[in-house]
Amino acid sequence: MQYRDYGNTGIKLSALGFGAMRLQEVEQNGKKQIDEEKAIEAIRRAFELGVNYIDSAYIYHDGYSEVLVGKAIKGLRDRIYLSTKSPGHLVKKPGDYRRILEEQLTRLQVDYLDFYYFHGIGYQTFRETDERSGWMKEAEQAKNEGLIKQITFSFHAPPQEMIQLIDLGIFSGVLCQYNFLDRSNEEAMAYARSKGLGVAIMGPVGGGRIAGLPEKIRQELNLPVESNVELALRFVLANPNVTCVLSGMGSLQMVEENARYAGNAQPLKQEEVKAINTLMKKYRRLADLYCTGCKYCLPCPKGIDIPSIFSFYNYYNVYGLKDYARKNYGGFGKFPWLPEIKADACSECGACEKKCPQKIKIREQLKEAHRVLSI
Ligand code: SF4
Ligand code: SF4
């Protein structure tokens, strides 16, 4: 495993971090639940392979991610770095930030967090939440008391807002989206590093889209990598401003593979990165609809399954799997696992767009998806 400096904090993180947002699940009584045994096994295996950083959030797995992580790190607390996130949408008044933080410490069964992120903020949302709740002051207070070691933020907004947040001078690190389909944060990440912040990356495989790219795209590059996932992880780690890449690892196999890729002591060379960038320009249309499948846009009052429709649209548009995409879209209402509502049920209320971290013009894209998929 490689270890890298987390900004100026003196902390060294493993190049691969364990994101506890897609833990292995089992179905019980018709409901999906975390498969505790398998999820703990995956986290423990990652630790054995050198991963020293685990990230959770209040909202992951409806709160059970933190509980599970707490169980998985029993006996390892002093050998791992642990982070979770403050859910700004629940911080409505003074005291909420602190109350939720204490609840999270209880769930995780720990006395302190190494990193506590303001979850998914932009500059505007951060300030608005601060005005109504004073969460910035409460974060500093929690740090003074030793409950939080580093005040950090995870970021979902236009890149210039990352710079505004960094300039507040209170953060020691940022967690943001970056991969070879979406390099929009690249300059802001360099700025963060120049100001002494650590930079952790989420979405290295673009919500799974990079993993699903046709083999021929990778073969065009002719690089010594065995899979698209390896290419994606090593691309991110070739950026010297990146401390660590977080991967949501839902199986032991993913842990083993990702640890091998991220542990590769030879990151991609600059000319190899350049070759990827050139090829991606050619496939520019891949990034046109950058839906990560995060589901923040849901629920839609009309019951539209927005991420599934976008996923079919991308199969159609990006991978050229036209029949497959149409057949699946046509299955809405026919297969029990797909809801009956198609994209044309959209009333254009716009509620989903306010919640989409990728700022996707969902209404427009739904119309286009329906147009091509319903033929
Ligand atoms: S704009 Fe359409 S898809 Fe979005 S929440 Fe409203 S009805 Fe649902
Ligand atoms: S449309 Fe936006 S909010 Fe909805 S799943 Fe895709 S990226 Fe997430």
Side-chain angles (χ1 to χ4, degrees), residues 27 64 79 94 118 126 154 156 162 174 188 190 194 198 205 222 224-225 259 300 302 306 309 328 347 371:
E27 199 160 313
Y64 288 106
R79 286 178 284 163
F118 293 98
F126 179 72
S154 76
H156 283 294
M162 194 196 298
V174 56
S194 75
V205 288
N222 198 23
V225 289
C300 153
K302 293 285 179 186
I306 301 165
I309 293 173
N328 274 277
S347 65
R371 191 183 67 77

Side-chain angles (χ1 to χ4, degrees), residues 300-302 304 306 346-350 352 363 366:
C300 153
K302 293 285 179 186
I304 297 171
I306 301 165
C346 174
S347 65
E348 306 207 22
C349 70
C352 52
R363 288 170 284 189
L366 282 177

Side-chain angles (χ1 to χ4, degrees), residues 289-298 305-308 310 352-362:
L289 175 54
Y290 187 74
C291 171
T292 62
C294 67
K295 300 186 180 169
Y296 289 158
C297 53
L298 300 180
D305 183 350
I306 301 165
S308 292
F310 286 169
C352 52
E353 291 183 12
K354 290 189 192 126
K355 293 184 277 183
C356 175
Q358 305 301 330
K359 309 285 174 232
I360 292 172
K361 290 182 177 151
I362 294 175

